[in-house]
Amino acid sequence: MKKKKSGFNTKLVHLGELEDSMGSVTVPIFQTSTFSFKNAQHGADCFSGKDDGYIYTRLGNPTINALEETIAELENGFGGIATSSGMGAVNSIYLALLGQGAHLVSTASVYGPSRNVIEKHYSRFGVEATFVDTSDPDKVKQSIKSNTRMILVETPSNPTMQITDIRKIAEIAHKYGIPLVVDNTFSSPYLQNPLDLGADVVFHSITKFINGHADVVGGVIVAKEENLYKQIRDIMVNFGCNMDPHQAYLVHRGVKTLSIRIEKAQENAAKIAQWLEKHPLVKWVKYPGLRSHPQHELAKKQMRGFGTMISFELKGGHNTGKAFMDNVELAILAVSLGGIETLIQHPASMTHSGINKEEKLKAGITDGLVRLSVGIENVEDLIDDLSQALDKIT
Ligand SMILES: *Cc1c(COP(=O)(O)O)cnc(C)c1O
């Protein structure tokens, strides 16, 4: 209890600790699929809800619950729901909030698969969606229809780094009685708490910053109120989107260093963004911490830091972008983000290669765009690496 009220770092280190674990300082891995009942009555009470004992790991498990409680507390919500992946989280929310004939309003450059599942699969059940630039609240308002059941925003968005005003969108959503869901993956709970700004549900691809070590795929959802929490949990359990205890253990271990990892990486990111902005081969740089970022003031208000993600456009387009990827030596050529290691990728030929050119441009994905997830290495080494890779393409 005392730990819940303390500072962010104290919470990171201590949240989720179990009281009765034989003195183990870390949360043990309860690697079991099922839990024994003391007797028939106890089993009956667990099923009826009279006793909150564990039944079966898909429904709940102490290691997983420790992680769920931790993230719920960091996001100031009613409860957390851990999932097998970030997409497990997205789909648990979609299935809870969207029904036949429902309409969704979402960020145009939202994470690719979050958009693709709607257009390819939910459309088979009559679900439709409008994807707009949510950094313009008027566009969100104009997209709302009588059957809109959910607004989903991703901020900062991927890979364009556009920032959406969560407070403003929450006001619009609630005027129409629509729940607002925020994909908070790019910020982590350390930099932004959407529920405090009016959102009803927040989720993360835990694969990224929360775990932070590129060794787990997972997701987590936090709902502000009990009702929505129960609805989404019911979907997660019955559609089998649950996390595994070993996965939960690794993430609970990774989250303890969330703030120091982000502090170091974002200090590096700020220096790299400034350096890139001055480089003659770089057309523009998108980093919320730069004064040149169109929503720099909003980022300052809404976030507690500018994060570790940078997008920049190389002069020369598609082939230059690809050549640059082959020239970097320290930065690892890989998708994903939010880990301790610096990752680099070329969206036009990688993550967003499946989208047609017109839609790509509409979402801001240009041919020379490079996305950098800055890690905690020595910043001089990272700049040296980018510098030699750029030199090679001149
Ligand atoms: C990676 C990611 C997801 C999907 O998460 P997985 O763990 O890969 O399923 C969703 N949203 C954003 C912003 C992401 O970066």
Side-chain angles (χ1 to χ4, degrees), residues 8 12 19 24 135 144 181 199 207 215 221 235 241 249 252 325 360 368 382 393:
F8 198 89
L12 285 181
E19 268 161 32
S24 170
S135 69
I144 292 174
V181 178
T207 316
D215 52 8
I221 304 159
I235 297 283
C241 295
Y249 167 82
H252 194 255
M325 296 296 109
K360 244 192 279 201
L382 292 171
I393 54 173

Side-chain angles (χ1 to χ4, degrees), residues 58 63-65 67-69 71 79-85 88-89 92 206 218-222 229 233 236-237 241-244 247-248:
R58 179 160 49 74
T63 316
I64 301 170
N65 284 15
L67 175 66
E68 290 173 329
E69 274 176 27
I71 310 298
I81 303 160
T83 54
S84 50
S85 68
S92 297
I206 240 173
V220 69
I221 304 159
V222 180
Y229 165 79
R233 183 155 200 105
M236 180 282 284
V237 162
C241 295
N242 58 289
M243 189 177 264
D244 176 84
Q247 211 181 346

Side-chain angles (χ1 to χ4, degrees), residues 84-88 90 110-111 113-114 154 156 158 183-186 203-208 216-219 336-337 371:
S84 50
S85 68
M87 286 314 294
V90 171
V110 72
Y111 184 70
S114 303
E154 190 178 309
N158 172 28
D183 183 339
N184 203 26
T185 300
F186 263 48
F203 73 90
H204 295 268
S205 164
I206 240 173
T207 316
K208 316 295 166 54
V216 170
V217 168
S336 197
L337 56 109
R371 190 186 81 179

Side-chain angles (χ1 to χ4, degrees), residues 233-260:
R233 183 155 200 105
D234 186 59
I235 297 283
M236 180 282 284
V237 162
N238 290 298
F239 280 75
C241 295
N242 58 289
M243 189 177 264
D244 176 84
H246 187 249
Q247 211 181 346
Y249 167 82
L250 285 171
V251 179
H252 194 255
R253 178 185 203 257
V255 77
K256 290 177 191 290
T257 54
L258 178 70
S259 53
I260 54 173

